[in-house]
Amino acid sequence: MPNTHTPEQIIRAEILALSAYHVPPAAGMIKLDAMENPYPLPSALRDEIAQLALHAPVNRYPDASAASLKETLRQTLGISDNLDILLGNGSDEIIQIIAMAIAKPGAVLMSVEPAFVMFRMIATFANIPYVGVPLKNDFTLDLDAMLAAIAKHQPAVIFLAYPNNPTGNLFNRAAILSIIQATPGIIVIDEAYQAFAEDSFIDQLGHYPNLLLMRTLSKSGLAGLRLGLLIGRPEWLKQLEKVRLPYNIGIMTQLIAEKVLHHTPVLSEQAQAIKSERAKMSAFLGTMRGITVYPSNANFILFRVNAASQIFQALKQHNILIKNLDGTHPLLENCLRETVGTPDENSQFCATLRTILSETV
Ligand SMILES: *Cc1c(COP(=O)(O)O)cnc(C)c1O
């Protein structure tokens, strides 16, 4: 028998150097860490879903093209016939598909910093150099720096989240259009939080051949299903389809997503409720001494405190789980991110935070 290798000898150095994406345990907690919609579906709709599950032919592979679901998405989102749709097991998988497809020697994946961490992580998985252009101190786009970085690195793909995670803001629309025009490669606008924003680039798909638009059902109420979509010109999506694994969207996801999409007012009413709670939460945080709250167009709020880790831990001891961003990027020093929950969860969060702050300062 030959000597067996250790993982350290076989696994790529960049992978050995990573720490796995950390999902903290949340059993019994008020969960305000992961941008989930806090509201369940109405019980009548859940009964309909139960019927679908009862009759689903789970012994068969799902429809590999998810044709029926795609048609429903096309109608609900108003996607024109000259554009194609690619489905992913969450939009995370779509980022991965794009990264794998472009991973030639020398290809660069670009985004801003701080941005959604999966852009950087997936670049690493796919062995692609990642360039993150820092945002300005107020989390707006640094257009000059972006244009200079594009000229220098000629990125194969740029990912921009609109609104951005973890900052919550919408970047300047004109600045994004300048970036699109300056980019020789693909540009993906990631609209994961579109349900809570007042804007979209969907109307620009017709104007720019290399523009792709990504959406997900996760943040608007179906995180457990894992469904993301990419919308763009057929000449791009035809190539990306080749990288998609044939049965990546399971039958339950296809059936349930389609059913819920036929009840879009349910999700949009929930989004409306989240937006009005967001306004209340922002106003509350704005009145607290020692807190800087940043404007949000998403279902979460970023705020800066004096001792983030201490406050994060104290909230956790009170069974409230949010996200501590301190230490993840220099611009996020002492920043916390709180997902907007139900009115009840939010008032518990506010009351607890008030107590903690009065004890720590
Ligand atoms: C949450 C998030 C995603 C990933 O969502 P999926 O659940 O994988 O669909 C993508 N982009 C941004 C900016 C996000 O915040």
Side-chain angles (χ1 to χ4, degrees):
M1 276 237 308
N3 274 345
T4 52
H5 287 307
T6 62
E8 286 71 24
Q9 291 170 292
I10 294 290
I11 307 287
R12 282 162 40 210
E14 313 85 83
I15 306 298
L16 292 171
L18 287 176
S19 35
Y21 187 83
H22 175 62
V23 179
M29 307 277 277
I30 296 181
K31 199 170 178 313
L32 303 175
D33 66 324
M35 284 79 99
E36 292 145 327
N37 173 343
Y39 301 105
L41 293 170
S43 66
L45 183 50
R46 279 152 70 186
D47 284 343
E48 289 187 56
I49 290 171
Q51 285 303 310
L52 289 175
L54 188 62
H55 299 290
V58 292
N59 55 315
R60 303 289 177 197
Y61 281 108
D63 175 2
S65 65
S68 177
L69 171 57
K70 274 193 194 171
E71 190 46 42
T72 304
L73 282 164
R74 191 177 281 286
Q75 282 160 19
T76 2
L77 302 179
I79 301 167
S80 65
D81 287 339
N82 55 357
L83 296 169
D84 271 0
I85 303 171
L86 174 132
L87 299 182
N89 190 325
S91 44
D92 285 351
E93 193 189 40
I94 295 175
I95 304 168
Q96 188 184 47
I97 288 172
I98 295 170
M100 286 193 291
I102 61 129
K104 318 193 237 202
V108 163
L109 188 152
M110 185 178 285
S111 188
V112 294
E113 286 291 322
F116 184 46
V117 292
M118 292 315 285
F119 300 150
R120 174 196 285 275
M121 288 192 76
I122 288 171
T124 306
F125 302 162
N127 221 352
I128 306 170
Y130 172 84
V131 174
V133 179
L135 296 174
K136 293 188 176 171
N137 283 339
D138 59 358
F139 304 128
T140 56
L141 267 182
D142 188 340
L143 181 59
D144 291 340
M146 275 303 280
L147 295 178
I150 291 166
K152 179 171 173 203
H153 298 284
Q154 300 284 307
V157 60
I158 300 177
F159 284 93
L160 287 178
Y162 187 83
N164 189 43
N165 172 15
T167 56
N169 56 317
L170 287 171
F171 296 136
N172 181 281
R173 203 180 157 87
I176 293 183
L177 289 172
S178 306
I179 290 168
I180 295 172
Q181 285 157 13
T183 302
I186 311 172
I187 176 145
V188 181
I189 304 295
D190 175 357
E191 295 188 347
Y193 299 96
Q194 202 277 326
F196 315 100
E198 275 72 47
D199 201 20
S200 169
F201 276 83
I202 197 160
D203 60 340
Q204 297 299 314
L205 285 170
H207 299 312
Y208 300 103
N210 293 3
L211 177 62
L212 302 174
L213 194 89
M214 195 162 68
R215 296 267 180 98
T216 173
L217 301 188
S218 295
K219 310 299 157 68
S220 50
L222 301 174
L225 285 188
R226 309 300 298 130
L227 187 72
L229 60 148
L230 186 73
I231 311 164
R233 301 260 178 117
E235 58 267 32
W236 283 109
L237 268 60
K238 199 167 67 190
Q239 301 302 330
L240 298 173
E241 267 294 334
K242 298 175 186 173
V243 182
R244 183 181 68 84
L245 297 176
Y247 302 114
N248 66 331
I249 312 298
I251 186 165
M252 290 304 176
T253 298
Q254 293 193 30
L255 290 172
I256 299 171
E258 185 171 351
K259 171 62 76 184
V260 176
L261 286 166
H262 283 125
H263 294 80
T264 40
V266 168
L267 297 186
S268 42
E269 278 161 30
Q270 293 180 344
Q272 209 47 51
I274 290 166
K275 282 161 69 176
S276 81
E277 279 297 302
R278 174 182 75 196
K280 284 189 219 160
M281 297 290 285
S282 292
F284 164 82
L285 290 167
T287 62
M288 302 294 289
R289 215 156 35 92
I291 290 187
T292 308
V293 54
Y294 294 95
S296 171
N297 291 280
N299 63 342
F300 59 87
I301 298 170
L302 182 78
F303 58 102
R304 199 184 297 270
V305 294
N306 293 320
S309 296
Q310 203 182 336
I311 290 171
F312 171 77
Q313 287 303 338
L315 283 165
K316 209 158 138 184
Q317 265 146 32
H318 288 85
N319 268 333
I320 297 174
L321 185 64
I322 64 169
K323 178 84 175 175
N324 184 8
L325 295 164
D326 186 55
T328 60
H329 189 275
L331 288 177
L332 295 173
E333 194 186 346
N334 273 322
C335 281
L336 297 169
R337 185 190 67 196
E338 172 257 343
T339 304
V340 179
T342 63
D344 190 45
E345 291 171 334
N346 297 335
S347 48
Q348 288 195 57
F349 167 81
C350 292
T352 311
L353 183 66
R354 191 197 302 272
T355 312
I356 292 168
L357 285 174
S358 68
E359 287 163 0
T360 52
V361 269

